[in-house]
Amino acid sequence: MPDDPRTPSAEPGVPGRFLADEMVGRLARYLRFLGYDVEYVRGRSDDEVAAWARRDRRVLLTRDAELARRVEGSLWIRSADIREQLKETAAQWPPLLRSATFDRCTACNGRLRQYDPSIDPPLPPHVPRSRCGNPALIFRCPRCGRFYWEGSHRARLLRDLDAWLGERR
């Protein structure tokens, strides 16, 4: 969950915002784990995707070579494998993938905030009850309402990222 107050996109040489098409949805999620602003688009025509990327000044991430050529500054992702996709992204922007912040909703890209029982709805049954005594360990997306908490999945993701990309800061 949020443990690094810096904004990764403020790193020199790293784009601030991305737009991932439906061919790289898993890459969008992983970049969100790393704290990057990544909108994910599905069910839109290439013209609509290109217009969105240009309008919002987002770097387009796509496996569609033709679409990548149409949008200046796009990254054409060649692999279907998430490990290779992350490596391709890191090769384009070496400082990009340095630390996981876990401060973005993996479902909708909203910025997570600490759960506040005085203003947020009650915790749903699937949230581990052991966390209830410490709301500092629970986060909620104000955009879509999804709850997050630190669990074994976080450690696994960090291990995977380290294995795939080499040890990070």
Side-chain angles (χ1 to χ4, degrees):
M1 301 307 107
D3 56 4
D4 185 349
R6 73 180 175 79
T7 303
S9 59
E11 294 175 14
V14 177
R17 299 160 20 118
F18 296 93
L19 178 66
D21 75 3
E22 59 194 340
M23 300 175 103
V24 291
R26 195 163 180 212
L27 176 61
R29 286 187 55 151
Y30 273 82
L31 290 174
R32 288 172 181 169
F33 291 139
L34 294 164
Y36 291 96
D37 177 351
V38 185
E39 289 293 341
Y40 174 59
V41 60
R42 293 190 310 188
R44 302 278 177 96
S45 71
D46 285 358
D47 288 341
E48 291 172 306
V49 172
W52 185 350
R54 287 187 202 104
R55 181 189 67 236
D56 288 0
R57 295 185 177 150
R58 290 181 176 272
V59 172
L60 177 63
L61 304 171
T62 182
R63 292 196 58 228
D64 182 334
E66 176 58 33
L67 179 57
R69 279 192 288 275
R70 291 177 52 192
V71 180
E72 186 179 343
S74 295
L75 179 59
W76 173 37
I77 303 290
R78 290 159 182 82
S79 179
D81 179 78
I82 185 60
R83 293 173 291 248
E84 294 303 315
Q85 290 178 351
L86 285 165
K87 287 177 184 177
E88 288 179 53
T89 306
Q92 181 69 27
W93 298 289
L96 180 74
L97 307 170
R98 292 295 172 236
S99 62
T101 59
F102 296 100
D103 65 350
R104 288 209 172 260
C105 178
T106 59
C108 78
N109 195 43
R111 281 281 209 186
L112 300 182
R113 65 172 178 71
Q114 192 170 341
Y115 174 72
D116 182 346
S118 69
I119 59 170
D120 287 321
L123 293 172
H126 69 275
V127 175
R129 294 339 255 163
S130 62
R131 302 282 188 225
C132 294
N134 189 352
L137 299 176
I138 301 171
F139 298 87
R140 184 170 179 268
C141 177
R143 198 168 168 189
C144 73
R146 180 174 256 183
F147 288 89
Y148 290 85
W149 59 93
E150 190 172 318
S152 60
H153 57 283
R154 182 176 195 236
R156 181 181 41 81
L157 284 165
L158 290 171
R159 275 193 311 275
D160 286 349
L161 288 168
D162 284 343
W164 300 342
L165 299 168
E167 195 166 322
R168 296 161 298 108
R169 300 183 262 169

